[in-house]
Amino acid sequence: SQTIHQWPATLVQPVGSPLSLECTVEGTSNPNLYWYRQAAGRGLQLLFYSIGIDQISSEVPQNLSASRPQDRQFILSSKKLLLSDSGFYLCAWSVGGGTGELFFGEGSRLTVL
Amino acid sequence: SQELEQSPQSLIVQEGKNLTINCTSSKTLYGLYWYKQKYGEGLIFLMMLQKGGEEKSHEKITAKLDEKKQQSSLHITASQPSHAGIYLCGADSGGYQKVTFGTGTKLQVIP
């Protein structure tokens, strides 16, 4: 069966520090991968999606970047965090080329102080 | 871009009562998803609707997509405390399952 792992679960970082959130999917090949952010009062916002290794699209301009070094690994990064980067980050995957639901990780809560 | 408006924003019901959550789209819906989220956790897929007039049920939860495919409703019958959480509707907005989500409806069920 397929599983998705996301870490760390909780992170408290000072403004200006770097960020790295990791997401790994197991039990499937060539998935579509996504990073979403859920900020207070703003709903769930799609940040990046990827249909393959090194194929990443950004949905909104921001202080973050994403990379996909391996087929089932998706990394969200920042060189210098801003206060506005605080939020709940969710990684998700879907069957590549298919139609159907997204499968979400448990989320990573980031607090920037 | 597609916008999804959910109503109500929050809901408090007595256990055993029925309730309905609505999701309205600014554009025609080609794939409408319903998810449930418990606070601080990931989203759990509930149902997907694609055809106008389609209706699906799972246990005590029923979702419908109207004929014009611009509005969906989620109905819970005889609510239980386990139904509490945030319900989000999502729409496929351009292939690769790029799902845009509504702002969510927070449901509390009082025993």
Side-chain angles (χ1 to χ4, degrees):
Chain A
S1 62
Q2 302 90 358
T3 56
I4 179 169
H5 302 284
Q6 191 179 337
W7 70 93
T10 306
L11 202 57
V12 180
Q13 292 286 104
V15 169
S17 64
L19 170 73
S20 180
L21 300 179
E22 294 196 31
C23 175
T24 301
V25 180
E26 296 178 358
T28 188
S29 298
N30 195 31
N32 295 332
L33 294 172
Y34 311 81
W35 277 111
Y36 282 87
R37 177 170 63 197
Q38 193 172 35
R42 293 197 61 183
L44 201 58
Q45 182 183 36
L46 178 61
L47 302 177
F48 300 93
Y49 75 95
S50 170
I51 61 171
I53 293 175
D54 295 330
Q55 292 179 282
I56 298 167
S57 295
S58 173
E59 288 297 293
V60 292
Q62 58 210 317
N63 184 40
L64 302 167
S65 62
S67 61
R68 185 171 176 173
Q70 300 179 41
D71 180 46
R72 292 169 292 166
Q73 185 184 23
F74 207 23
I75 298 172
L76 184 70
S77 304
S78 173
K79 291 182 179 178
K80 288 185 179 181
L81 285 168
L82 305 172
L83 286 173
S84 57
D85 292 324
S86 293
F88 191 53
Y89 289 82
L90 287 157
C91 180
W93 74 273
S94 66
V95 175
T99 59
E101 73 258 41
L102 300 178
F103 301 92
F104 283 84
E106 290 301 311
S108 298
R109 184 163 299 282
L110 170 67
T111 303
V112 182
L113 301 175
Chain B
S1 63
Q2 187 154 34
E3 292 184 0
L4 296 173
E5 189 171 324
Q6 282 186 240
S7 62
Q9 288 186 328
S10 64
L11 197 52
I12 302 174
V13 300
Q14 201 78 35
E15 183 178 358
K17 296 293 185 184
N18 303 336
L19 64 106
T20 300
I21 298 169
N22 294 303
C23 175
T24 302
S25 171
S26 58
K27 298 182 180 180
T28 301
L29 294 162
Y30 292 101
L32 188 284
Y33 306 82
W34 282 101
Y35 286 83
K36 178 187 174 185
Q37 182 184 28
K38 291 193 174 180
Y39 180 74
E41 298 182 10
L43 278 66
I44 304 297
F45 172 77
L46 296 175
M47 277 170 274
M48 176 185 175
L49 305 167
Q50 286 184 299
K51 301 177 182 177
E54 186 175 9
E55 180 175 322
K56 288 187 177 178
S57 293
H58 176 68
E59 297 181 342
K60 295 184 178 180
I61 300 177
T62 300
K64 301 178 185 179
L65 182 61
D66 74 338
E67 289 288 346
K68 293 183 179 179
K69 295 171 63 175
Q70 283 195 280
Q71 189 167 22
S72 178
S73 61
L74 185 82
H75 184 78
I76 299 177
T77 303
S79 58
Q80 300 170 349
S82 60
H83 289 127
I86 300 171
Y87 289 82
L88 295 112
C89 64
D92 193 339
S93 60
Y96 305 118
Q97 293 149 272
K98 286 171 54 181
V99 179
T100 302
F101 286 91
T103 50
T105 296
K106 183 178 179 181
L107 172 64
Q108 293 177 259
V109 180
I110 302 171

